[in-house]
Amino acid sequence: MNVKQNEQVALILIDIQKGFEDLAYWGERNNPNAEQNAGNLLQHWRKMNQPVFHVKHCSSNPDSILAEGKPGNEIQDVVRPLETEPVIKKNVNSAFIGTDLQQRLEVLGIKKLVIAGLTTDHCVSTSVRMAGNLGFDTIVVNDATATFDKLSFDGKKYPAQLIHDTALASLHEEFAKVLNTNEVLALLT
């Protein structure tokens, strides 16, 4: 992604919610510094006066840790939105389904996106795939995303790092470019 002077690049932070801090609920995860890296991106975007969109999952299951009204639904402090930054609520894996995110980006003339958040193989991957299919030039940030261990259909346990790596491998150069936080920050300096 080449960024021209005065070009807007939107930072989209997906599901960085307090409920994902509960490792007893979710299990083992990778990238323990993902949220801090996302916070570093957010601070840089604010300094550069670039657009920021916060997305949060509002589970339709009232018993979910991510259900609206529960403490786990709140966005983590490290990326707490400013009043001027939109918070887009979703209840499916894509930030683009059932929301006005695409329309907001189009109204602002934004064609380039940087996406970070939780979890790599679910909402981040689904949103990145849709962004690519919708024609956005997209970067997903490797070290500002994370996921958890997964059990397969046959009960085999796969470690979070493997799930993360394969999810990003499926996205790279097909739907998006995968970069680390420092590489992304260098693009917008």
Side-chain angles (χ1 to χ4, degrees), residues 36-70:
Q36 185 59 54
N37 288 330
N40 293 341
L41 290 167
L42 177 59
Q43 294 309 314
H44 188 76
W45 249 252
R46 287 173 176 165
K47 278 191 237 169
M48 299 298 293
N49 200 29
Q50 289 284 341
V52 174
F53 295 86
H54 299 266
V55 177
K56 73 175 184 169
H57 192 80
C58 298
S59 177
S60 55
N61 176 355
D63 297 326
S64 170
I65 198 169
L66 299 176
E68 203 162 8
K70 293 211 173 171

Tab-separated table of all heavy atoms in Angstrom, residues 36-70:
chain	number	residue	atom	x	y	z
A	36	GLN	N	-1.973	-3.837	22.987
A	36	GLN	CA	-1.056	-2.700	23.131
A	36	GLN	C	-0.600	-2.209	21.763
A	36	GLN	O	-0.510	-1.001	21.530
A	36	GLN	CB	0.151	-3.083	23.995
A	36	GLN	CG	1.064	-1.904	24.274
A	36	GLN	CD	0.351	-0.763	24.983
A	36	GLN	OE1	-0.254	-0.965	26.024
A	36	GLN	NE2	0.404	0.432	24.416
A	37	ASN	N	-0.307	-3.134	20.857
A	37	ASN	CA	0.071	-2.730	19.495
A	37	ASN	C	-1.074	-2.003	18.797
A	37	ASN	O	-0.850	-1.004	18.106
A	37	ASN	CB	0.522	-3.947	18.689
A	37	ASN	CG	1.878	-4.451	19.145
A	37	ASN	OD1	2.720	-3.702	19.615
A	37	ASN	ND2	2.093	-5.750	19.019
A	38	ALA	N	-2.291	-2.478	19.000
A	38	ALA	CA	-3.456	-1.786	18.435
A	38	ALA	C	-3.573	-0.390	19.046
A	38	ALA	O	-3.903	0.581	18.344
A	38	ALA	CB	-4.724	-2.597	18.681
A	39	GLY	N	-3.297	-0.277	20.337
A	39	GLY	CA	-3.297	1.030	20.994
A	39	GLY	C	-2.248	1.964	20.414
A	39	GLY	O	-2.487	3.160	20.246
A	40	ASN	N	-1.070	1.422	20.088
A	40	ASN	CA	-0.021	2.224	19.457
A	40	ASN	C	-0.468	2.715	18.082
A	40	ASN	O	-0.227	3.875	17.720
A	40	ASN	CB	1.277	1.429	19.337
A	40	ASN	CG	1.893	1.121	20.683
A	40	ASN	OD1	1.585	1.755	21.691
A	40	ASN	ND2	2.768	0.124	20.713
A	41	LEU	N	-1.107	1.836	17.328
A	41	LEU	CA	-1.656	2.248	16.030
A	41	LEU	C	-2.680	3.363	16.216
A	41	LEU	O	-2.657	4.370	15.501
A	41	LEU	CB	-2.313	1.055	15.325
A	41	LEU	CG	-1.380	-0.033	14.803
A	41	LEU	CD1	-2.178	-1.281	14.431
A	41	LEU	CD2	-0.571	0.467	13.616
A	42	LEU	N	-3.568	3.176	17.177
A	42	LEU	CA	-4.624	4.164	17.421
A	42	LEU	C	-4.017	5.529	17.769
A	42	LEU	O	-4.455	6.558	17.230
A	42	LEU	CB	-5.534	3.677	18.546
A	42	LEU	CG	-6.643	4.625	18.982
A	42	LEU	CD1	-7.579	4.972	17.823
A	42	LEU	CD2	-7.422	4.008	20.148
A	43	GLN	N	-3.030	5.560	18.649
A	43	GLN	CA	-2.404	6.836	19.011
A	43	GLN	C	-1.774	7.508	17.791
A	43	GLN	O	-1.884	8.726	17.611
A	43	GLN	CB	-1.369	6.624	20.123
A	43	GLN	CG	-1.957	6.181	21.446
A	43	GLN	CD	-3.100	7.069	21.917
A	43	GLN	OE1	-3.015	8.289	21.879
A	43	GLN	NE2	-4.199	6.446	22.332
A	44	HIS	N	-1.128	6.712	16.955
A	44	HIS	CA	-0.503	7.253	15.742
A	44	HIS	C	-1.570	7.801	14.791
A	44	HIS	O	-1.403	8.878	14.222
A	44	HIS	CB	0.338	6.166	15.065
A	44	HIS	CG	1.155	6.671	13.928
A	44	HIS	ND1	2.307	7.398	14.117
A	44	HIS	CD2	0.976	6.577	12.583
A	44	HIS	CE1	2.815	7.720	12.936
A	44	HIS	NE2	2.028	7.232	11.997
A	45	TRP	N	-2.653	7.062	14.615
A	45	TRP	CA	-3.740	7.510	13.724
A	45	TRP	C	-4.322	8.842	14.223
A	45	TRP	O	-4.605	9.728	13.431
A	45	TRP	CB	-4.837	6.449	13.632
A	45	TRP	CG	-4.898	5.804	12.288
A	45	TRP	CD1	-5.873	5.986	11.340
A	45	TRP	CD2	-3.966	4.881	11.713
A	45	TRP	NE1	-5.597	5.243	10.228
A	45	TRP	CE2	-4.427	4.549	10.430
A	45	TRP	CE3	-2.783	4.318	12.167
A	45	TRP	CZ2	-3.753	3.681	9.590
A	45	TRP	CZ3	-2.110	3.450	11.335
A	45	TRP	CH2	-2.593	3.137	10.066
A	46	ARG	N	-4.490	8.936	15.526
A	46	ARG	CA	-5.015	10.184	16.088
A	46	ARG	C	-4.051	11.339	15.837
A	46	ARG	O	-4.482	12.431	15.464
A	46	ARG	CB	-5.281	10.009	17.588
A	46	ARG	CG	-6.499	9.150	17.871
A	46	ARG	CD	-6.641	8.852	19.351
A	46	ARG	NE	-7.858	8.102	19.634
A	46	ARG	CZ	-8.095	7.476	20.764
A	46	ARG	NH1	-7.186	7.498	21.746
A	46	ARG	NH2	-9.236	6.815	20.942
A	47	LYS	N	-2.747	11.102	16.035
A	47	LYS	CA	-1.753	12.161	15.790
A	47	LYS	C	-1.744	12.588	14.329
A	47	LYS	O	-1.540	13.762	14.025
A	47	LYS	CB	-0.355	11.682	16.178
A	47	LYS	CG	-0.040	11.779	17.641
A	47	LYS	CD	1.443	11.532	17.879
A	47	LYS	CE	1.574	10.378	18.832
A	47	LYS	NZ	2.904	9.856	18.976
A	48	MET	N	-1.931	11.637	13.442
A	48	MET	CA	-1.909	11.919	12.007
A	48	MET	C	-3.273	12.415	11.498
A	48	MET	O	-3.427	12.681	10.313
A	48	MET	CB	-1.489	10.660	11.233
A	48	MET	CG	-0.107	10.140	11.582
A	48	MET	SD	1.230	11.285	11.228
A	48	MET	CE	1.177	11.329	9.463
A	49	ASN	N	-4.244	12.512	12.406
A	49	ASN	CA	-5.593	12.965	12.062
A	49	ASN	C	-6.212	12.109	10.946
A	49	ASN	O	-6.806	12.616	10.000
A	49	ASN	CB	-5.587	14.445	11.678
A	49	ASN	CG	-6.972	15.045	11.785
A	49	ASN	OD1	-7.796	14.602	12.587
A	49	ASN	ND2	-7.233	16.047	10.965
A	50	GLN	N	-6.021	10.811	11.088
A	50	GLN	CA	-6.587	9.844	10.141
A	50	GLN	C	-7.860	9.247	10.753
A	50	GLN	O	-8.001	9.188	11.983
A	50	GLN	CB	-5.571	8.735	9.846
A	50	GLN	CG	-4.390	9.167	9.012
A	50	GLN	CD	-4.727	9.328	7.545
A	50	GLN	OE1	-5.719	8.802	7.047
A	50	GLN	NE2	-3.903	10.073	6.839
A	51	PRO	N	-8.783	8.779	9.924
A	51	PRO	CA	-10.050	8.252	10.442
A	51	PRO	C	-9.898	6.916	11.166
A	51	PRO	O	-9.128	6.056	10.756
A	51	PRO	CB	-10.923	8.092	9.192
A	51	PRO	CG	-9.976	8.071	8.050
A	51	PRO	CD	-8.734	8.804	8.465
A	52	VAL	N	-10.661	6.786	12.251
A	52	VAL	CA	-10.657	5.583	13.087
A	52	VAL	C	-12.089	5.090	13.245
A	52	VAL	O	-12.998	5.890	13.482
A	52	VAL	CB	-10.070	5.890	14.483
A	52	VAL	CG1	-10.201	4.677	15.401
A	52	VAL	CG2	-8.621	6.338	14.381
A	53	PHE	N	-12.266	3.782	13.134
A	53	PHE	CA	-13.563	3.148	13.362
A	53	PHE	C	-13.366	2.011	14.357
A	53	PHE	O	-12.513	1.153	14.158
A	53	PHE	CB	-14.142	2.589	12.057
A	53	PHE	CG	-14.457	3.647	11.046
A	53	PHE	CD1	-13.479	4.106	10.178
A	53	PHE	CD2	-15.729	4.194	10.971
A	53	PHE	CE1	-13.758	5.088	9.242
A	53	PHE	CE2	-16.016	5.179	10.044
A	53	PHE	CZ	-15.030	5.630	9.176
A	54	HIS	N	-14.152	2.023	15.415
A	54	HIS	CA	-14.145	0.950	16.398
A	54	HIS	C	-15.337	0.050	16.087
A	54	HIS	O	-16.446	0.540	15.881
A	54	HIS	CB	-14.294	1.509	17.815
A	54	HIS	CG	-13.201	2.429	18.204
A	54	HIS	ND1	-12.082	2.019	18.895
A	54	HIS	CD2	-13.038	3.769	17.995
A	54	HIS	CE1	-11.287	3.058	19.096
A	54	HIS	NE2	-11.842	4.128	18.572
A	55	VAL	N	-15.095	-1.247	16.069
A	55	VAL	CA	-16.165	-2.213	15.834
A	55	VAL	C	-16.244	-3.083	17.074
A	55	VAL	O	-15.210	-3.502	17.606
A	55	VAL	CB	-15.874	-3.076	14.584
A	55	VAL	CG1	-16.954	-4.123	14.382
A	55	VAL	CG2	-15.719	-2.190	13.349
A	56	LYS	N	-17.467	-3.335	17.540
A	56	LYS	CA	-17.589	-4.244	18.679
A	56	LYS	C	-18.700	-5.239	18.439
A	56	LYS	O	-19.728	-4.930	17.836
A	56	LYS	CB	-17.744	-3.505	19.995
A	56	LYS	CG	-19.044	-2.844	20.266
A	56	LYS	CD	-18.977	-2.291	21.698
A	56	LYS	CE	-20.264	-1.690	22.131
A	56	LYS	NZ	-20.260	-1.398	23.567
A	57	HIS	N	-18.425	-6.443	18.910
A	57	HIS	CA	-19.380	-7.535	18.750
A	57	HIS	C	-20.414	-7.466	19.865
A	57	HIS	O	-20.067	-7.433	21.046
A	57	HIS	CB	-18.674	-8.888	18.773
A	57	HIS	CG	-19.565	-10.002	18.337
A	57	HIS	ND1	-19.814	-10.254	17.009
A	57	HIS	CD2	-20.286	-10.895	19.042
A	57	HIS	CE1	-20.651	-11.278	16.920
A	57	HIS	NE2	-20.955	-11.685	18.143
A	58	CYS	N	-21.667	-7.424	19.478
A	58	CYS	CA	-22.787	-7.418	20.424
A	58	CYS	C	-23.555	-8.712	20.195
A	58	CYS	O	-24.452	-8.774	19.347
A	58	CYS	CB	-23.677	-6.198	20.198
A	58	CYS	SG	-22.815	-4.646	20.477
A	59	SER	N	-23.174	-9.727	20.930
A	59	SER	CA	-23.753	-11.051	20.728
A	59	SER	C	-25.260	-11.019	20.919
A	59	SER	O	-25.781	-10.368	21.821
A	59	SER	CB	-23.129	-12.048	21.708
A	59	SER	OG	-23.730	-13.312	21.555
A	60	SER	N	-25.952	-11.738	20.051
A	60	SER	CA	-27.407	-11.859	20.188
A	60	SER	C	-27.785	-12.893	21.252
A	60	SER	O	-28.947	-12.992	21.627
A	60	SER	CB	-28.042	-12.221	18.841
A	60	SER	OG	-27.434	-13.385	18.324
A	61	ASN	N	-26.797	-13.623	21.764
A	61	ASN	CA	-27.009	-14.571	22.856
A	61	ASN	C	-26.898	-13.813	24.173
A	61	ASN	O	-25.816	-13.356	24.532
A	61	ASN	CB	-25.977	-15.696	22.792
A	61	ASN	CG	-26.081	-16.673	23.945
A	61	ASN	OD1	-26.860	-16.488	24.879
A	61	ASN	ND2	-25.278	-17.715	23.888
A	62	PRO	N	-27.988	-13.664	24.921
A	62	PRO	CA	-27.940	-12.879	26.152
A	62	PRO	C	-26.994	-13.449	27.213
A	62	PRO	O	-26.586	-12.728	28.124
A	62	PRO	CB	-29.387	-12.878	26.642
A	62	PRO	CG	-30.042	-14.031	25.966
A	62	PRO	CD	-29.312	-14.237	24.672
A	63	ASP	N	-26.614	-14.719	27.099
A	63	ASP	CA	-25.698	-15.330	28.055
A	63	ASP	C	-24.227	-15.163	27.674
A	63	ASP	O	-23.342	-15.530	28.436
A	63	ASP	CB	-26.015	-16.823	28.205
A	63	ASP	CG	-27.399	-17.060	28.777
A	63	ASP	OD1	-27.843	-16.240	29.611
A	63	ASP	OD2	-28.040	-18.052	28.384
A	64	SER	N	-23.970	-14.620	26.492
A	64	SER	CA	-22.602	-14.458	26.014
A	64	SER	C	-21.862	-13.405	26.821
A	64	SER	O	-22.433	-12.390	27.233
A	64	SER	CB	-22.597	-14.053	24.537
A	64	SER	OG	-21.295	-13.680	24.132
A	65	ILE	N	-20.586	-13.625	26.995
A	65	ILE	CA	-19.711	-12.657	27.644
A	65	ILE	C	-19.658	-11.350	26.850
A	65	ILE	O	-19.340	-10.295	27.388
A	65	ILE	CB	-18.311	-13.289	27.849
A	65	ILE	CG1	-17.495	-12.540	28.876
A	65	ILE	CG2	-17.570	-13.420	26.534
A	65	ILE	CD1	-16.238	-13.276	29.304
A	66	LEU	N	-19.988	-11.419	25.543
A	66	LEU	CA	-19.947	-10.248	24.664
A	66	LEU	C	-21.335	-9.642	24.412
A	66	LEU	O	-21.481	-8.774	23.550
A	66	LEU	CB	-19.295	-10.618	23.324
A	66	LEU	CG	-17.846	-11.103	23.407
A	66	LEU	CD1	-17.347	-11.533	22.037
A	66	LEU	CD2	-16.939	-10.058	24.010
A	67	ALA	N	-22.334	-10.074	25.161
A	67	ALA	CA	-23.685	-9.523	24.988
A	67	ALA	C	-23.715	-8.061	25.415
A	67	ALA	O	-23.047	-7.663	26.380
A	67	ALA	CB	-24.701	-10.328	25.791
A	68	GLU	N	-24.478	-7.272	24.676
A	68	GLU	CA	-24.595	-5.849	25.001
A	68	GLU	C	-25.131	-5.690	26.422
A	68	GLU	O	-26.017	-6.410	26.852
A	68	GLU	CB	-25.518	-5.163	23.987
A	68	GLU	CG	-25.280	-3.701	23.880
A	68	GLU	CD	-25.847	-3.088	22.616
A	68	GLU	OE1	-26.571	-3.772	21.862
A	68	GLU	OE2	-25.558	-1.906	22.391
A	69	GLY	N	-24.544	-4.748	27.161
A	69	GLY	CA	-24.943	-4.521	28.537
A	69	GLY	C	-24.087	-5.263	29.548
A	69	GLY	O	-24.106	-4.948	30.731
A	70	LYS	N	-23.331	-6.264	29.101
A	70	LYS	CA	-22.431	-7.000	29.999
A	70	LYS	C	-21.063	-6.313	30.002
A	70	LYS	O	-20.663	-5.709	28.998
A	70	LYS	CB	-22.298	-8.449	29.550
A	70	LYS	CG	-23.600	-9.221	29.697
A	70	LYS	CD	-23.318	-10.649	29.996
A	70	LYS	CE	-24.652	-11.341	30.299
A	70	LYS	NZ	-24.497	-12.757	30.383
